[in-house]
Amino acid sequence: MSRLAAKYPRLAATVALILLSLIWGYNWIMMKLALRSASPIDFAALRTLLAAACLFIALAVLRRPLRPTEPLGLAWLGLLQTTGFIGLSMWALVSGGVGKTAVLVYTMPFWVIVLAKLTLGERMDSTQKLAVAFGFLGLIMVLAPWHSNGSFKSDLLAIGAGIFWAAGTLYAKILRRRVRFDLLSLTAWQMLFGAIGLSLIAVLLPPAPLHWNREFIGALTYNVILGNALAWFLWLYALDTLPAGVASLGTLATPVIGVAAAALQLGEMPDTPEVIGMLLIGSALALISLHAIRQHRRVSPAIGQE
């Protein structure tokens, strides 16, 4: 297998990207199943603590630097990228549909464009403006504020998760301009700091029952081993091998797989406005990725989470 990857690196990276999209896409189903047996904060704290432990084991095995570079910056990144993003994603999934939640969370790339404009003064070109317009039209169709379908709260939580993810992506970009980081070390430390934040919230909230049944253990194991440990190695390998932007374009399959898996396994069928909205959001994300390819921009590794 290693010889095949060495001989055909692009092919091996493409296979890794396909596998990654399948893992992350189906992970939305596994997270929904886990929330039948645990509160969203308890599950988020557990999965991130165990995922951080896996990443630190990987650091030790690979002999990467264990000492954190700029701990305060990593702590802030963890609060955005792990505490905020994962915490809100889990909360949204409690009452929200799997496919719809996945699509709304994956609006992250055009929130990056908007936040970069508002906070860093970066100019939007015509392609980015078109992508943002498509994205917001898609959001309106998915949210359907003219209908009172009872999912508005979970929809807003999912969008909030995407905004936190975008803020974390931008902050990671700023940090990496100031300081040279080992990417795996950065990921492990921000995950740990974010997991501590989630654990503190879990302690402060009233205790909720946690049932260690087969379904919950299976979902937790999937999240930690496949959805975090293996997925991060696949993501970093794809980033290291494929051209800029191609990797991010490949991960667009993740919410599509989430929607398809939810329809097949859970019977969640989006209505016509939601389908139109999802297609508009997908078009916006494709525009952003294709634009990055044309501009030869590097993909931020921080977008690789879920």
Side-chain angles (χ1 to χ4, degrees):
M1 186 69 182
S2 58
R3 289 181 182 178
L4 184 64
K7 190 174 181 180
Y8 304 103
R10 291 280 183 92
L11 176 61
T14 302
V15 172
L17 200 57
I18 292 170
L19 182 58
L20 175 66
S21 296
L22 289 170
I23 289 171
W24 273 343
Y26 192 69
N27 195 36
W28 288 93
I29 295 284
M30 300 305 288
M31 291 187 291
K32 183 73 171 182
L33 296 179
L35 294 176
R36 294 175 178 176
S37 304
S39 74
I41 295 300
D42 287 345
F43 176 61
L46 264 175
R47 61 166 284 200
T48 52
L49 281 170
L50 292 172
C54 288
L55 291 172
F56 277 104
I57 291 170
L59 283 174
V61 170
L62 297 173
R63 297 183 179 179
R64 298 282 189 87
L66 286 169
R67 182 175 296 180
T69 305
E70 196 167 333
L72 184 59
L74 290 173
W76 278 111
L77 179 60
L79 289 174
L80 293 169
Q81 191 84 6
T82 298
T83 306
F85 162 53
I86 294 181
L88 289 179
S89 296
M90 295 304 99
W91 195 5
L93 269 176
V94 172
S95 59
V98 170
K100 190 176 182 182
T101 300
V103 170
L104 291 175
V105 169
Y106 265 79
T107 57
M108 177 276 290
F110 67 80
W111 291 118
V112 169
I113 295 173
V114 173
L115 290 176
K117 167 70 175 175
L118 295 176
T119 61
L120 303 179
E122 293 186 5
R123 296 182 63 184
M124 286 191 286
D125 59 30
S126 57
T127 303
Q128 290 174 320
K129 288 177 182 177
L130 181 61
V132 170
F134 273 22
F136 278 111
L137 280 173
L139 275 180
I140 292 171
M141 294 301 293
V142 171
L143 292 175
W146 52 88
H147 291 312
S148 54
N149 54 18
S151 67
F152 196 65
K153 177 184 173 183
S154 65
D155 294 346
L156 291 180
L157 288 169
I159 293 169
I163 293 172
F164 266 95
W165 190 5
T169 300
L170 276 180
Y171 190 64
K173 182 179 177 181
I174 294 168
L175 274 181
R176 296 182 78 216
R177 282 178 181 172
R178 294 204 313 250
V179 184
R180 188 183 181 90
F181 285 97
D182 176 88
L183 185 55
L184 190 58
S185 177
L186 178 148
T187 305
W189 279 105
Q190 72 85 14
M191 183 78 73
L192 178 61
F193 284 126
I196 291 170
L198 287 166
S199 300
L200 289 174
I201 295 171
V203 169
L204 293 173
L205 291 175
L210 197 162
H211 304 290
W212 288 91
N213 51 46
R214 186 178 299 176
E215 182 179 74
F216 178 75
I217 294 170
L220 181 61
T221 303
Y222 185 102
N223 269 261
V224 174
I225 303 299
L226 297 181
N228 281 284
L230 176 60
W232 264 99
F233 281 105
L234 293 172
W235 173 241
L236 295 178
Y237 177 71
L239 276 185
D240 190 51
T241 309
L242 294 173
V246 174
S248 64
L249 186 61
T251 58
L252 293 185
T254 298
V256 175
I257 292 165
V259 172
L264 290 171
Q265 186 169 340
L266 304 178
E268 294 182 3
M269 301 301 295
D271 58 25
T272 301
E274 287 177 347
V275 170
I276 295 170
M278 289 175 183
L279 290 173
L280 284 167
I281 290 170
S283 300
L285 299 179
L287 274 174
I288 292 168
S289 294
L290 290 170
H291 181 63
I293 293 171
R294 287 201 306 269
Q295 297 293 317
H296 301 289
R297 291 178 182 171
R298 291 188 63 191
V299 179
S300 172
I303 74 170
Q305 190 152 331
E306 291 320 350

